[in-house]
Amino acid sequence: MFILKQAKINKYKSYSTQQEVLLESDVTTLVGKNESGKTAFLEALAKLNYFTNDEDFEFDAVQDYPRNELKQYQRSGEDLEPIVCTFQLDQNTIDEINADLGEGVLTTDTFSVSSRYGSGRTWYHINSNEKKYLENIQTSLGFSDETKEKVLELGSVKKVAEADSGEDTELQSVIDHINNTIVNEGFGWEQKLVDAYVTKKYISPRLPRFWYFDEYHELPSRVSIDAIRNNAITGELTKQQLETAKALFELAMIDVEELSNSTNFESFIAELEATSNDITDKIFEYWSTNSNLSIEFKIDQINKPNNQRPEKILDIRVKNHRHRITLPLKNRSKGFNWFFSFIVWFSKIQDEKDKNFILLLDEPGLNLHASAQADLLRFINDLSSDYQIVYSTHSPFMVESDGLHRVRTVYDSDTGSIISDAIQEKDPDTLFPLQAALGYDIAQNLFVSKNNLLVEGPSDLNYLTFMSNLLESEGREGLRNDVTIIPVGGLDKVVSFVSLLRGSKLKISCLLDTFNNAKGAQRLDGLIQSKIIKDKQVRFFDEFAGDNYEKADIEDLFEQSEYLHILGEALPEHKGITVSDLDDKKQTILLQLKAVLGGKDFNHYKPSQSLLGMGLTASFFSKETLDRFEKMFIEMNKLY
């Protein structure tokens, strides 16, 4: 299959200046706001070589040329190229051309093709080496070196084909061979006859066809069988919906004419349901949102007055097995409708042996939930093993943060639509989905561990990490390596994080400062009573700080002199504070220090950060400190 490497779009709808777009060999993502030009780009690609005959996918200067320049263009008499695509040949095609014409005739593995507003396609850059071809045919035809010299002296294949051999029968056989193959089997180009031959025989038939899908192709709930039979757009049925409905009947191998004349519909319904089951099975490979749905079909007959022929209607309904109800397709989730319709329309090409298609998906899964969009992305990535795919979106959930090289941003400027690589984009609104995707991925990466320990903030993370590593270096027990420490940004956020992580079916424990506010404690108690988290999974530092502590922060697990030394290294202005300066009536060392500082607080994070770089060994800490931390790690490890 040929790979689309580059597309140039110019003077098409919102594209007033030429834009060159490099395409990925698997998936390319167009990201931009509504009305930025994403759909126009996909349409222009589709019109180069649409997969079926459709007047909506043919270039029309009146409809497609930028309106504010149309009259000037019409007066100019030009025939402009709105789209030029560059493709890379596949190795099989290269091998076939080499076997036919000989090595060295084909000098490139890429070619370009354009479509004009008035005169159709133009082919570029085949660049065959005609001299090499003339040399190669000596081997296949077995003519003499003398004839070879005559052939090469003529210089081009065209001149050889038009030459007068006189009475030279050997030269005439060369002329006849070239005329019977290169000339007769090629396009009728005036020059570069080998290019014309290669293009007609090997490239044109294999040019990828573009397959386009948007939300307008979604199946309706009720479809007139007569409309399908007569290929007629009736009522609220759109052309795209009619095409998808026809695809459903083709997929079920139902003769619409036969159905239209029948009075017994059971066999037809059975065929439709068998097809539906197959499609539904495909959907649920990638649809994790709700597995209790299935499609049901009915065929209704509506009698008409004056002995007119009854009208037959296909009724498509979705059954929810959990709630035991059926509803019309349009009344169910638009996301499920989109997915079902997509599979029906896609099946129109999927069963073809020649999978020479490039898929163009305009805002796929726009109405899907975020998790279902992730399923759709997985589906798209799987499809890319057989098809090259270009899709547009403005949803951050349809952008893979580890695939930003696939992203092309589309921006509507004063000079028309602009397409660029993500790293070059400057418009903040256009960048928003990318920034949101990165932020979501960063958040998700906090949850990659099966075992998670929630702590209040980054200082807890630093202290726990340092002391765990220190104990392990002494052959003592630290925190398990498969536990991820997650700082939640404050005690008041613990409840929210527990709920979020619980939804991800992960193991969660909390190691917290003693609650100072009753509201936070009540919310956490509510989670425990609701069995969202078990009581034993929530532990507090006061359990490990010693008998003298009813309340404690992590800093209270250190001896006071040790913490004051760390504080003095991190904040030299507080270096002179000693243990004797502390007020034992205060519960925690942080409250004691606040009193020493006259009610002023200090940055609690800096001491923890400083500790990581101080190079302290186990000999600095007392046996009691090491024992307290080890006991805490042992107890926390038991929870996993």
Side-chain angles (χ1 to χ4, degrees), residues 444-505:
Q444 288 295 298
N445 284 335
L446 292 174
F447 312 151
V448 294
S449 173
K450 181 180 179 182
N451 303 315
N452 299 277
L453 176 61
L454 304 190
V455 296
E456 179 181 352
S459 57
D460 297 334
L461 170 63
N462 288 343
Y463 287 130
L464 292 172
T465 301
F466 179 85
M467 293 305 296
S468 177
N469 292 337
L470 183 69
L471 287 167
E472 288 178 357
S473 70
E474 294 293 306
R476 301 177 69 168
E477 186 168 346
L479 188 65
R480 286 171 49 149
N481 291 329
D482 61 351
V483 174
T484 300
I485 304 172
I486 302 177
V488 300
L491 285 173
D492 55 328
K493 296 183 176 66
V494 171
V495 175
S496 299
F497 267 75
V498 169
S499 299
L500 282 171
L501 285 172
R502 171 248 192 174
S504 301
K505 299 179 182 179

Side-chain angles (χ1 to χ4, degrees), residues 404-585:
L404 292 182
H405 63 283
R406 297 173 166 182
V407 173
R408 308 293 181 264
T409 54
V410 187
Y411 167 59
D412 184 27
S413 72
D414 292 337
T415 58
S417 294
I418 305 293
I419 304 182
S420 66
D421 291 339
I423 58 173
Q424 298 174 328
E425 185 55 65
K426 297 177 181 178
D427 178 55
D429 292 335
T430 303
L431 283 174
F432 175 76
L434 307 183
Q435 295 166 337
L438 280 172
Y440 180 74
D441 188 62
I442 290 169
Q444 288 295 298
N445 284 335
L446 292 174
F447 312 151
V448 294
S449 173
K450 181 180 179 182
N451 303 315
N452 299 277
L453 176 61
L454 304 190
V455 296
E456 179 181 352
S459 57
D460 297 334
L461 170 63
N462 288 343
Y463 287 130
L464 292 172
T465 301
F466 179 85
M467 293 305 296
S468 177
N469 292 337
L470 183 69
L471 287 167
E472 288 178 357
S473 70
E474 294 293 306
R476 301 177 69 168
E477 186 168 346
L479 188 65
R480 286 171 49 149
N481 291 329
D482 61 351
V483 174
T484 300
I485 304 172
I486 302 177
V488 300
L491 285 173
D492 55 328
K493 296 183 176 66
V494 171
V495 175
S496 299
F497 267 75
V498 169
S499 299
L500 282 171
L501 285 172
R502 171 248 192 174
S504 301
K505 299 179 182 179
L506 304 174
K507 290 185 179 179
I508 313 155
S509 294
C510 303
L511 185 56
L512 307 171
D513 297 340
T514 308
F515 274 111
N516 288 317
N517 97 42
K519 187 176 180 180
Q522 287 172 0
R523 289 183 65 199
L524 189 58
D525 286 341
L527 290 184
I528 293 169
Q529 291 171 12
S530 301
K531 298 183 179 180
I532 291 175
I533 189 170
K534 295 179 181 178
D535 188 13
K536 68 177 183 179
Q537 301 295 124
V538 182
R539 309 298 289 270
F540 296 92
F541 291 120
D542 60 61
E543 299 176 48
F544 310 104
D547 296 336
N548 296 328
Y549 287 90
E550 292 181 6
K551 294 183 178 182
D553 303 319
I554 192 171
E555 291 84 355
D556 294 304
L557 271 67
F558 296 102
E559 292 294 309
Q560 291 180 329
S561 59
E562 295 165 356
Y563 182 73
L564 291 176
H565 175 81
I566 297 168
L567 175 70
E569 292 296 318
L571 302 168
E573 64 271 25
H574 301 321
K575 202 164 191 174
I577 300 174
T578 64
V579 174
S580 61
D581 296 325
L582 302 177
D583 183 358
D584 289 340
K585 294 178 182 178

Side-chain angles (χ1 to χ4, degrees), residues 178-203:
I178 289 175
N179 276 297
N180 291 334
T181 56
I182 300 300
V183 177
N184 292 344
E185 297 297 322
F187 287 127
W189 297 353
E190 285 296 316
Q191 304 294 332
K192 296 188 175 182
L193 299 184
V194 178
D195 285 4
Y197 172 77
V198 168
T199 303
K200 184 176 181 181
K201 184 172 182 179
Y202 294 103
I203 294 180

Side-chain angles (χ1 to χ4, degrees), residues 45-111:
L45 288 178
K47 290 179 180 182
L48 179 77
N49 192 32
Y50 198 53
F51 82 105
T52 188
N53 292 327
D54 189 330
E55 62 183 16
D56 288 344
F57 286 93
E58 296 174 359
F59 284 109
D60 180 343
V62 174
Q63 296 296 324
D64 298 335
Y65 203 88
R67 290 292 172 87
N68 59 335
E69 303 176 42
L70 177 59
K71 288 301 177 184
Q72 181 181 350
Y73 172 68
Q74 289 173 329
R75 287 193 295 268
S76 73
E78 291 183 69
D79 189 9
L80 193 132
E81 298 173 328
I83 192 74
V84 182
C85 289
T86 299
F87 293 88
Q88 182 173 323
L89 297 171
D90 62 276
Q91 192 58 47
N92 286 340
T93 300
I94 293 172
D95 291 343
E96 287 183 39
I97 294 172
N98 288 339
D100 183 3
L101 304 179
E103 297 285 342
V105 177
L106 189 66
T107 62
T108 180
D109 63 351
T110 63
F111 70 93

